[in-house]
Amino acid sequence: MSRLADIPISEELIARARCGDEAAQAAIYRALAPAVFALIRRLVGNRAVAEDLFQDTLMAMFQRLGDFRGEAPLGAWLRQIAVTRCLMYLRSPWHRARLHWDFGDETPLHATMMPVASAASADALDVERALASLTPVGRAVVWLFEVEGYSHEEIARLFGRSVSFSKSQLARGLARLRLDLAPQEDQEACTPI
Amino acid sequence: MHSDLVEKIIARRLGTLADQPAEEPYGWAEFRRRRDGAASTRRMAPTRLALMATAAVAAVLVAGVAWVHWHRQHIPAASSVSTVARLDASDGDEQARTRAIEGWLAALPPDPVVVRVGAHAAVTSLEEQIAALDDLMTVEQAAGAKSGRLGPLERQRAQLVSSLAQVRYAEMLASTSP
């Protein structure tokens, strides 16, 4: 699946969508929706919550399309909106309370998370499981840094925390992933040539 | 294996995962339906808020009228605060004054219609202090204490009862004022 920032959307289509052309809006939606939904799902885990955030994100995009200056691809701009909304959700007292009620604080959500990838290979499922064993915040930091290419400074700013917060979350997340994925790493290392 | 290498492998595997086909979201028609639903909810919100505010004001007014009506029926004219004030001026006897205030207090409803947390807490605290003093005075009287020890307790009690009356009167004025 294409990354959000790499999905090409023509300026002409954006201009038409800006003027309220429904066909253009639908075309943009069809092009960007799968990638943005996958990202949101990856960051927040729960499908119902991801749908709410997805709806909010795309509504915000169409409402604020007039502010889009075209300096970066539309997908990158949309990714920023989606990430901000997801992190706002992760930081919200409501989300923390839900986590606390359901599992106790800082408990991973692997019990409720379903794999995001629909036709995943065995390896992908292993990585999915390992990711699901992280705390929501840890998972978001790992994903943003390792996959989306955000810097520690950007992550810290998005979370409203210090750079060391981002670094420590990443280190903890990677250590956990290393632990969960280690048997396979060893197998790979020992496979006879 | 070197940790940097392991991290690179993990990063590569995460990248591969990101490229996998993912769960599809709902389609454009469903998005539009939800968007229109959210827009109509937003349009309804001010009307709903106005209705709720009107209902709340009406409920407060009804409660206020009911309280005033109840108050007129149950409070004897002689035990009004102005009467208490006259008693204060004409009768120097502290005990009689305290009894008059207590009579007025007893005639008040146990809880005001509109409860303000601060006043409620103050009333509870004063009532508890008066009850504690009553217990103390009973013990002193039972032990046959001299009036010299009872006197300060009675004065303290009179002060507390007076404070309680002031708080309840202020509360009553606040609850009946528009």
Side-chain angles (χ1 to χ4, degrees):
Chain A
M1 194 175 74
S2 306
R3 305 283 174 87
L4 250 181
D6 303 332
I7 298 170
I9 304 287
S10 71
E11 281 182 25
E12 182 257 332
L13 199 61
I14 295 170
R16 276 173 47 210
R18 215 179 258 149
C19 298
D21 181 338
E22 190 133 320
Q25 290 182 355
I28 291 175
Y29 178 89
R30 283 187 207 101
L32 298 175
V36 77
F37 185 68
L39 172 65
I40 292 171
R41 196 79 167 78
R42 190 69 66 191
L43 294 178
V44 299
N46 183 289
R47 170 143 190 144
V49 174
E51 282 193 0
D52 286 348
L53 291 168
F54 167 77
Q55 182 74 24
D56 276 358
T57 300
L58 283 162
M59 276 170 62
M61 183 195 73
F62 286 124
Q63 278 163 8
R64 288 156 51 185
L65 209 50
D67 300 335
F68 176 63
R69 285 175 300 197
E71 289 162 356
L74 184 65
W77 187 64
L78 180 59
R79 183 181 70 170
Q80 196 64 25
I81 298 173
V83 167
T84 306
R85 271 158 205 264
C86 289
L87 298 193
M88 268 170 65
Y89 168 74
L90 290 179
R91 277 164 32 193
S92 69
W94 164 241
H95 168 67
R96 285 170 181 278
R98 195 177 74 85
L99 270 185
H100 187 72
W101 292 333
D102 290 352
F103 310 104
D105 214 8
E106 288 298 304
T107 307
L109 277 179
H110 59 275
T112 56
M113 270 193 74
M114 296 295 287
V116 177
S118 58
S121 63
D123 179 65
L125 281 174
D126 284 344
V127 184
E128 287 269 17
R129 266 189 227 109
L131 266 178
S133 72
L134 302 181
T135 61
V137 170
R139 188 172 57 247
V141 171
V142 167
W143 193 263
L144 291 175
F145 187 87
E146 296 290 357
V147 181
E148 301 295 333
Y150 279 67
S151 66
H152 282 303
E153 286 75 15
E154 286 170 317
I155 293 170
R157 198 169 53 246
L158 284 166
F159 272 98
R161 305 288 288 269
S162 65
V163 171
S164 57
F165 158 82
S166 172
K167 286 181 178 171
S168 66
Q169 284 288 335
L170 180 71
R172 251 188 281 169
L174 287 177
R176 176 77 206 211
L177 287 180
R178 206 159 48 223
L179 207 67
D180 288 350
L181 299 170
Q184 201 159 340
E185 303 296 342
D186 292 346
Q187 265 180 5
E188 276 176 14
C190 298
T191 305
I193 301 168
Chain B
M1 209 183 300
H2 194 272
S3 67
D4 282 354
L5 185 59
V6 174
E7 277 173 23
K8 274 181 190 161
I9 292 171
I10 290 172
R12 196 194 66 210
R13 289 174 75 178
L14 288 171
T16 311
L17 183 66
D19 293 333
Q20 297 271 335
E23 259 183 290
E24 287 287 320
Y26 44 78
W28 169 249
E30 176 63 14
F31 171 75
R32 266 190 55 193
R33 193 190 66 76
R34 292 188 188 202
R35 183 177 64 180
D36 296 345
S40 67
T41 307
R42 264 203 302 276
R43 275 198 302 276
M44 285 288 290
T47 317
R48 200 175 297 161
L49 204 66
L51 277 173
M52 281 169 67
T54 310
V57 168
V60 168
L61 280 174
V62 167
V65 167
W67 190 85
V68 168
H69 183 68
W70 184 92
H71 188 258
R72 280 184 185 156
Q73 279 186 339
H74 289 79
I75 305 293
S79 63
S80 66
V81 171
S82 56
T83 311
V84 171
R86 278 201 301 279
L87 264 174
D88 189 33
S90 62
D91 191 357
D93 187 358
E94 207 161 49
Q95 282 185 345
R97 179 172 158 265
T98 306
R99 271 198 297 279
I101 294 172
E102 279 177 328
W104 179 76
L105 284 169
L108 286 174
D111 276 311
V113 176
V114 180
V115 177
R116 285 171 174 78
V117 175
H120 192 72
V123 166
T124 310
S125 166
L126 285 166
E127 282 174 345
E128 277 172 4
Q129 286 180 56
I130 291 167
L133 270 176
D134 282 345
D135 288 343
L136 202 59
M137 284 164 71
T138 309
V139 170
E140 289 289 336
Q141 278 163 352
K146 291 175 185 172
S147 59
R149 289 178 69 179
L150 271 173
L153 290 175
E154 275 171 357
R155 272 194 296 280
Q156 201 179 339
R157 189 176 186 283
Q159 278 173 359
L160 286 172
V161 170
S162 177
S163 302
L164 181 59
Q166 284 169 16
V167 173
R168 293 304 303 266
Y169 183 58
E171 202 175 35
M172 186 187 80
L173 287 180
S175 66
T176 52
S177 61

